[in-house]
Amino acid sequence: MAQLIRIQEIADYEGAEVTIQGWLYHRTDKGKLQFLQVRDGTGFVQCVVFKQEVTPEVFAAAQSLTQESSLVISGTVRKDARAPGVPGGYEIGVTDLKVIQLAQDYPIQPKEHGVEFLMDHRHLWVRSQLQWAVLRVRATVVRAIRDWLDSHGFINMDTPILTPAACEGTTTLFATDYFGEPAYLTQSGQLYNEANIYAFGRVYCFGPTFRAEKSKTRRHLTEFWMVEPEAAFCDLDQLMEIEEQFVSYIVQTCLRERAKELELLGRDTSALEKVVPPFPRISYDEALEILRRIREQTTDEELKALLAITWGDDFGSPHETELTKQFDKPVFVYGYPARAKAFYMEPWPGRPEISKSVDLLAPEGYGEITGGSERISDPDLLLQRLDEWGLPREAFTWYIDLRKYGSVPHAGFGLGVERTVTWICGIDHLREAIPFPRMLKRVYP
Ligand code: 4AD
Ligand code: MG
C-alpha cells in the first residue's frame, strides 16, 4: 500500500511508494511521457507518467488532465537533481492516477495577465506559485510575531474592532451605524492597550485595522493587519531596542523557514541577512539634512521636486524611499514634528514642537514598517492636546483616567504585517501580501 504523504515531506520517502492528493499545475506532453506538475498546498512536484509503466486507462487519464484538475496520484519517489519544484530534486514515477474532477477552461493561463484581471480572479490567483510563496511567508511572519512577543513577556490582549473615537486622525475613519449611534472600525488598538499595560505591564494586540485611505498607492490598504506592542515603564530608546530585536527575529525566521519560497520569489536574501541589531538611528532633522543633500546632488529634476519638503511635514513615500537607500539595514527616524503625528505623543523635553516618536523604515526603498512613540503621561497636557486636535473630550474620558491612577511613562509601536511581508518577499505592491486585499477601488472578491 502506498503511503499518503504531503509534498513537503517527500525527501523522507526516497524509493518508497507514495500517494499524493492535489491539483494539476501544468502538463507537458512528450508523446509517451507526460510530465505533470502537481501541487498539494505544501509544495510542487513533478510526476512522470511513462506509457509503458501504467495501464492504458491511467495513461489516457494523464493525457486528459487540464490545468487545475484535482487528482490523486501514486508512484515511486526518486531523486533527480534536475526535477523542478522540490528543493534537492525529487520526482514521482507514476504508477496510478485517479482524476477527481476535470477542470474546464481555468481562466488564469501560464501567460502574462493584467493585474486587474488577476485581482478580479484573486480567489483563483492565490493558487499560483508566486502568490502561494508570498502567503506562506506571511503565515510565518505572523507566527514569528507571536513567538517573539509571547516569549518576551508581552501578553496578547485583543482590542475592540468597533470603537467610539479616532486614534490615528479623523480623515480615515470608516463610520458604521451602531444602533443609531455612530461607531468606527478600529484604526488601532493602541489606546486600549494603554489601559491594559496597567494590568499586565507589557501587552500586544494583533488583528485587522481599518483606514479609509482615499489615495491609491502601493503601500496602503483600507484593511490591513497590525501588531501593536505596548509597554509600561518604557522610553523611546528602550522602544527602539525592542523593535530592532523583534523585526530582526521576524526576518531571520523567514530566512530560516521560508528559504524555498524566497528563492521562488527571486528574493536577494543577502539584503535580508544584514537585518540584525543594532539598526541606525537618525533624527527627523538629520533625515531632512540627508534629503537636502540628495536634492543638491541629483540632476533628476523630477526627483528634486518629489523630495521637496519643509520642516514640519511628515515624509511621503518618495522621501522614505530615498532615505532608506542610504542604509543597508532598517533605519529608525525619531523626533518627528508634533503636528505631523498623532495627538497622544509625548513632547521632546525642551523642544515641544517635536514628539518622542519613531518610525522604522525598511531598506531597499520599502519605507515605513513601524510607527511608534512614547505616550503623554500627564492628564492636563493630554486634555490640551485633545482640544488642539479638535477631538471630543467626552469620548476620551476613560483614556484620561489612565493618567490619574498610577500614570507611568510608557511607549509602544505598531507594525504593519503587509508592509513587512512585501519587504521580506521583495515584491512591488501590498495587495499581494494579504489573501483578499481591500483597497480604495476593491472589495471584490
Ligand atoms: O504609523 P501608524 O498609523 O501607527 C499607529 O497606528 C499607532 N497607533 C501604532 C502604535 O503606536 N501602537 O501605523 C503603524 C503601521 C505603519 O508603520 C504601517 O506599517 C502600517 O501600520 N500601516 C498600514 N499598512 C497598510 N495600509 C495602510 N493604510 C497602513 N497604515 C499604516
Ligand atoms: Mg505612521
Side-chain angles (χ1 to χ4, degrees):
M1 256 298 277
Q3 167 89 28
L4 181 64
I5 67 158
R6 308 196 79 193
I7 292 170
Q8 67 185 3
E9 59 204 24
I10 198 164
D12 301 338
Y13 291 89
E14 196 182 334
E17 187 75 7
V18 301
T19 297
I20 56 172
Q21 301 167 317
W23 297 267
L24 184 81
Y25 193 59
H26 190 67
R27 177 170 62 93
T28 311
D29 189 335
K30 295 270 187 213
K32 289 180 181 158
L33 279 170
Q34 299 291 318
F35 292 97
L36 313 178
Q37 308 301 328
V38 175
R39 52 174 200 85
D40 74 344
T42 72
F44 295 73
V45 70
Q46 171 165 280
C47 301
V48 185
V49 192
F50 186 30
K51 196 167 185 177
Q52 268 125 312
E53 290 174 355
V54 294
T55 64
E57 293 74 31
V58 165
F59 194 75
Q63 276 183 311
S64 77
L65 281 174
T66 51
Q67 190 185 348
E68 289 308 317
S69 291
S70 42
L71 47 79
V72 178
I73 224 166
S74 299
T76 314
V77 178
R78 47 188 191 226
K79 199 163 171 64
D80 182 342
R82 293 158 308 166
V86 180
Y90 291 89
E91 62 176 26
I92 294 178
V94 176
T95 53
D96 198 10
L97 164 69
K98 192 169 153 220
V99 181
I100 306 297
Q101 192 221 14
L102 265 189
Q104 299 300 327
D105 304 322
Y106 186 67
I108 302 179
Q109 297 297 312
K111 62 163 189 179
E112 289 285 314
H113 289 286
V115 165
E116 285 308 305
F117 177 87
L118 290 168
M119 291 301 297
D120 285 340
H121 293 84
R122 184 65 176 166
H123 53 298
L124 305 176
W125 192 23
V126 291
R127 305 178 188 194
S128 299
Q129 208 163 39
L130 298 186
Q131 301 305 311
W132 173 85
V134 170
L135 294 174
R136 295 206 359 138
V137 171
R138 179 191 170 100
T140 298
V141 165
V142 168
R143 192 168 45 73
I145 284 171
R146 290 197 184 276
D147 279 353
W148 194 90
L149 292 169
D150 291 342
S151 61
H152 286 79
F154 288 84
I155 305 286
N156 181 206
M157 284 291 132
D158 296 315
T159 50
I161 304 269
L162 289 166
T163 59
C167 177
E168 296 297 325
T170 50
T171 56
T172 59
L173 283 173
F174 273 115
T176 160
D177 172 57
Y178 195 75
F179 308 113
E181 296 287 323
Y184 308 97
L185 298 182
T186 184
Q187 296 173 312
S188 161
Q190 176 199 320
L191 305 186
Y192 295 97
N193 268 345
E194 287 184 64
N196 290 330
I197 56 163
Y198 289 95
F200 304 96
R202 288 176 157 200
V203 298
Y204 71 96
C205 60
F206 192 7
T209 307
F210 305 87
R211 307 259 169 109
E213 303 278 3
K214 279 146 208 124
S215 58
K216 263 179 90 172
T217 82
R218 294 183 296 128
R219 292 184 183 166
H220 290 92
L221 298 170
T222 54
E223 177 178 323
F224 63 96
W225 279 62
M226 179 159 63
V227 59
E228 297 182 89
E230 188 78 24
F233 299 102
C234 181
D235 66 17
L236 203 63
D237 285 328
Q238 291 166 319
L239 188 72
M240 287 191 260
E241 274 167 41
I242 291 170
E243 287 195 42
E244 65 195 6
Q245 297 290 337
F246 177 61
V247 169
S248 300
Y249 177 81
I250 296 168
V251 170
Q252 296 307 320
T253 302
C254 288
L255 281 173
R256 213 172 44 245
E257 298 182 9
R258 290 289 176 240
K260 178 180 68 183
E261 287 78 1
L262 294 173
E263 191 188 327
L264 271 174
L265 290 163
R267 182 65 166 110
D268 168 15
T269 47
S270 67
L272 296 175
E273 275 153 22
K274 299 191 184 112
V275 182
V276 287
F279 298 165
R281 302 174 182 193
I282 60 170
S283 68
Y284 174 85
D285 291 345
E286 286 163 339
L288 277 200
E289 184 52 30
I290 293 172
L291 288 169
R292 196 190 56 74
R293 271 207 317 272
I294 298 173
R295 289 188 71 212
E296 230 168 58
Q297 285 161 5
T298 183
T299 52
D300 180 343
E301 290 303 319
E302 201 180 328
L303 183 65
K304 216 174 248 186
L306 276 175
L307 294 185
I309 184 166
T310 41
W311 196 96
D313 294 343
D314 202 354
F315 298 131
S317 53
H319 307 109
E320 289 178 358
T321 302
E322 289 307 311
L323 272 175
T324 60
K325 284 184 185 163
Q326 314 296 310
F327 301 90
D328 63 359
K329 282 187 188 191
V331 55
F332 286 115
V333 181
Y334 62 87
Y336 285 82
R339 290 300 323 194
K341 294 287 181 192
F343 73 94
Y344 51 69
M345 294 186 180
E346 179 75 12
W348 202 271
R351 279 192 76 184
E353 73 283 11
I354 292 180
S355 59
K356 294 190 90 176
S357 51
V358 62
D359 281 1
L360 182 65
L361 311 183
E364 304 169 86
Y366 281 94
E368 179 193 333
I369 53 167
T370 81
S373 69
E374 268 183 55
R375 324 304 192 185
I376 291 174
S377 50
D378 177 65
D380 296 327
L381 179 59
L382 192 56
L383 283 170
Q384 187 190 321
R385 281 286 191 277
L386 287 173
D387 295 347
E388 286 167 5
W389 258 255
L391 294 165
R393 285 184 175 203
E394 320 79 69
F396 292 92
T397 308
W398 68 270
Y399 185 64
I400 294 155
D401 266 359
L402 305 174
R403 276 72 185 167
K404 294 187 190 159
Y405 309 113
S407 190
V408 294
H410 61 286
F413 67 95
L415 171 131
V417 168
E418 293 76 15
R419 297 254 183 109
T420 306
V421 171
T422 301
W423 162 50
I424 292 176
C425 290
I427 57 177
D428 287 340
H429 203 299
L430 238 52
R431 66 187 159 218
E432 295 179 34
I434 184 165
F436 291 95
R438 297 290 171 250
M439 293 176 293
L440 179 60
K441 293 218 164 10
R442 183 164 295 281
V443 281
Y444 175 91

